[in-house]
Amino acid sequence: MASNRSVRRAQEPVTYTCALCDTENEVRWYCNDCQENLCDRCKEAHTRGKKTKNDDVVLIGKANRQGDKLVPAVCKLHPGKLCDLFCSDCNELLCSICISKTHKHHNWKPFEDEFSSKKQHLKEHMTAISAKIEHFKNETSERHNDNEGFNGSIDTVRKEVNYKRTKLKAEVDYIADAILAELSALEKEESTLHKKDCQRSEKNVEELMHLLNEAEMTDTSSVSLFETERSLRTKLPLYDVNVRYVSPKPLRFVTESIDRVMLTKTFGKLHHENQYEKIDIDSKHVQRLSKFTVTPQNIINNVCPVDDSHAWLSMYQYQGLVLVNKKGVVIETVQLDFCPSNITMVGTTDILMTSNPRSTFVYKLSLHNKQVTTFADIRPHDACDVSINERGEVFVITHTPDIVVLDHSGTIIRKVTTRSKTIGYVVSLSSGRLCVVQAIGVSSTDRNILITDESGAVIQTWTGELDNGQKVGSMNLRKMSCDKYDRVFVPDNHNSQVYVLPRDGKQAMCLLDRTHGVVKPAAVGVDTCGNVWIGCEDGTVHVMDCNMRK
């Protein structure tokens, strides 16, 4: 409540004095230009004056300046009354009638008393605004500098890449020129030998024709017969038809497949820290990009993304591979003489495949000529699943505790033995780690996941623990995939769910289930943009955007 002194001050009427006649009667006007109060009579004279007739004369309540003295506003509820009081409880300017009717028991005071405080607060706000403006200007300047520095580093790396490309092209040209020069030398050598051999044969024919003519001219009834016969007996052995020139074998240029991993090591690799915060996946923030069905409508064995828009598919009991885009349009079909089961890309040039029914072979499809060769024979084991790590080593699952490891040429370099009785699927993670699906029982629904190092030592076991505190029971885990953050996307065919297993491998998140339209997922692939391609038993493929921010 206001003090007695404030009440007395608030109850005192506000009076104004005319600047021209000093009267206090009917002083209702104010000249904004002269900054003077005016009564009604002086206002009339003021507006007729030669120098003052164009001045801005307004009602005193609407004055916008009056020296150092503040002019109160006119109350909107009670015309003719000035808002010369301030209610601290309501933070409002009021007239005396407003106070007496609705603010009588509030804390109020003359508005001049509050004005200085508000003015000080305004200055503080303005100071804070100026400081924030300066902060954001500095931040913008720093960001521009960072951007220029970052773009400068990109330009530097771009120049290095172009230099390395030019140098690598020069090396390729050097190798090709050397082979072409060798071909020219061989061609010249063969031309010389060809000419020499032909000249020798032609000379022998000429000399033998001469001997034949000589024999035909011999008089067989005279003594010269003896001389001719003796001469031929001596010369004929000089022409040995059993001595032949060595025929040149046709040349064959053995085309080697391009080892993308080795080429990357030779060329160079971009190393940079992640510029942005990793995106946490939340099943509430998943959006379907597309859904389609591939003919024939068989179980999708494997989805192998090529880039952010295309993926190769292998299907149950289908002798071939199909390349589709994100909308389900078939871009290319490769017919095979066997049914591929699990597949993995070797760079962008080749595909490694296992077959169904199982065999001991790992096949390689060269995409540039669509030729299929045997990449490796791992007998006595059957090749089931296949994965390749960042060093180009190939890991082949055998449905035994053993994983066979091959180099880029298909040679067995070692075996990894896990503690599992049998394992079904594998995906290679970074830092020399493997994620494998192990069977823990007779049923296909008795499975869990092991994270191991490349020697087979178990780092972590996931048995169905979810981040919501629940635990999945029986699981039929199928063909997995991982993204660039080493998060493993695992389809559970039995429960029609897709889990995301984080890098630490402890608790998974249920990313997708039947509510997203995913039924009996059989294979998962993650493309270069982090989109998840899910192949199901009915031949349906879902492409999901799982990168939406919360």
Side-chain angles (χ1 to χ4, degrees), residues 120-330:
Q120 180 61 34
H121 290 163
L122 181 62
K123 290 181 179 179
E124 292 173 357
H125 292 325
M126 292 171 64
T127 302
I129 290 172
S130 298
K132 289 180 183 294
I133 290 173
E134 189 66 24
H135 168 79
F136 287 116
K137 283 183 176 179
N138 292 335
E139 188 178 72
T140 302
S141 177
E142 291 176 4
R143 188 64 182 89
H144 284 321
N145 292 334
D146 291 342
N147 177 259
E148 290 176 1
F150 183 76
N151 290 339
S153 68
I154 286 180
D155 290 338
T156 300
V157 174
R158 184 179 286 116
K159 290 177 182 177
E160 293 175 356
V161 169
N162 286 327
Y163 169 76
K164 196 63 180 288
R165 174 164 60 184
T166 302
K167 191 173 180 180
L168 193 58
K169 283 182 177 179
E171 291 294 334
V172 173
D173 289 341
Y174 175 81
I175 294 172
D177 289 343
I179 295 174
L180 293 175
E182 186 178 359
L183 290 174
S184 297
L186 291 172
E187 184 179 36
K188 184 177 180 180
E189 181 182 356
E190 166 58 17
S191 177
T192 302
L193 291 175
H194 170 260
K195 183 177 180 180
K196 183 178 178 181
D197 291 338
C198 290
Q199 287 176 346
R200 184 176 67 248
S201 296
E202 290 170 357
K203 182 182 179 183
N204 289 339
V205 169
E206 183 180 354
E207 292 176 352
L208 289 171
M209 288 293 294
H210 179 72
L211 292 178
L212 181 60
N213 290 334
E214 184 181 339
E216 290 176 346
M217 296 295 293
T218 301
D219 185 357
T220 57
S221 61
S222 66
V223 214
S224 61
L225 174 66
F226 292 94
E227 295 177 358
T228 301
E229 190 277 331
R230 183 172 59 251
S231 175
L232 293 176
R233 187 172 62 247
T234 304
K235 294 178 179 179
L236 278 177
L238 300 177
Y239 303 93
D240 188 358
V241 294
N242 294 319
V243 178
R244 296 180 56 82
Y245 62 85
V246 178
S247 300
K249 294 182 178 179
L251 296 179
R252 185 169 63 93
F253 181 67
V254 181
T255 303
E256 296 291 342
S257 62
I258 297 176
D259 188 340
R260 185 172 179 270
V261 175
M262 187 62 66
L263 186 61
T264 300
K265 290 181 179 179
T266 304
F267 187 86
K269 189 176 182 181
L270 186 65
H271 288 274
H272 63 94
E273 295 183 2
N274 186 29
Q275 299 290 325
Y276 307 99
E277 180 183 0
K278 291 183 181 179
I279 299 172
D280 293 328
I281 291 180
D282 185 332
S283 60
K284 297 178 183 177
H285 296 79
V286 175
Q287 180 184 28
R288 179 186 287 110
L289 300 178
S290 64
K291 174 184 176 182
F292 56 86
T293 301
V294 180
T295 303
Q297 297 180 12
N298 291 346
I299 299 172
I300 305 295
N301 283 333
N302 210 168
V303 181
C304 193
V306 179
D307 49 32
D308 61 347
S309 301
H310 301 83
W312 287 98
L313 306 178
S314 65
M315 292 168 282
Y316 180 66
Q317 291 185 343
Y318 178 70
Q319 292 188 336
L321 296 176
V322 177
L323 179 66
V324 297
N325 66 14
K326 206 152 41 178
K327 300 299 182 181
V329 178
V330 176

Side-chain angles (χ1 to χ4, degrees), residues 369-522:
N369 59 12
K370 304 302 182 291
Q371 296 297 312
V372 177
T373 57
T374 299
F375 178 71
D377 185 351
I378 64 168
R379 67 184 62 196
H381 298 298
D382 286 336
C384 300
D385 191 18
V386 60
S387 180
I388 186 168
N389 68 6
E390 56 191 3
R391 299 193 304 274
E393 295 177 333
V394 179
F395 294 81
V396 184
I397 291 293
T398 63
H399 277 331
T400 71
D402 292 331
I403 302 175
V404 177
V405 186
L406 314 171
D407 63 13
H408 66 276
S409 65
T411 303
I412 297 177
I413 54 177
R414 67 180 185 276
K415 289 185 179 180
V416 176
T417 301
T418 66
R419 72 181 187 186
S420 174
K421 181 171 62 175
T422 58
I423 50 181
Y425 301 94
V426 64
V427 61
S428 300
L429 307 175
S430 63
S431 305
R433 298 178 304 130
L434 298 175
C435 178
V436 298
V437 173
Q438 79 166 337
I440 57 176
V442 178
S443 173
S444 62
T445 59
D446 296 330
R447 296 180 178 180
N448 59 24
I449 285 179
L450 299 178
I451 306 293
T452 76
D453 60 23
E454 290 185 356
S455 68
V458 177
I459 300 173
Q460 182 71 39
T461 302
W462 182 70
T463 57
E465 295 82 5
L466 300 178
D467 62 347
N468 60 9
Q470 298 180 355
K471 183 175 180 178
V472 186
S474 299
M475 298 182 293
N476 182 5
L477 307 180
R478 302 284 280 273
K479 179 59 179 176
M480 310 170 292
S481 185
C482 68
D483 65 6
K484 60 184 178 181
Y485 304 123
D486 271 358
R487 296 178 297 199
V488 183
F489 293 75
V490 189
D492 180 357
N493 183 266
H494 178 66
N495 296 299
S496 291
Q497 295 179 340
V498 177
Y499 311 113
V500 183
L501 192 64
R503 183 181 175 87
D504 61 17
K506 294 180 180 178
Q507 292 181 333
M509 174 183 293
C510 181
L511 178 66
L512 302 170
D513 54 28
R514 288 181 181 270
T515 62
H516 298 90
V518 177
V519 180
K520 290 190 174 297

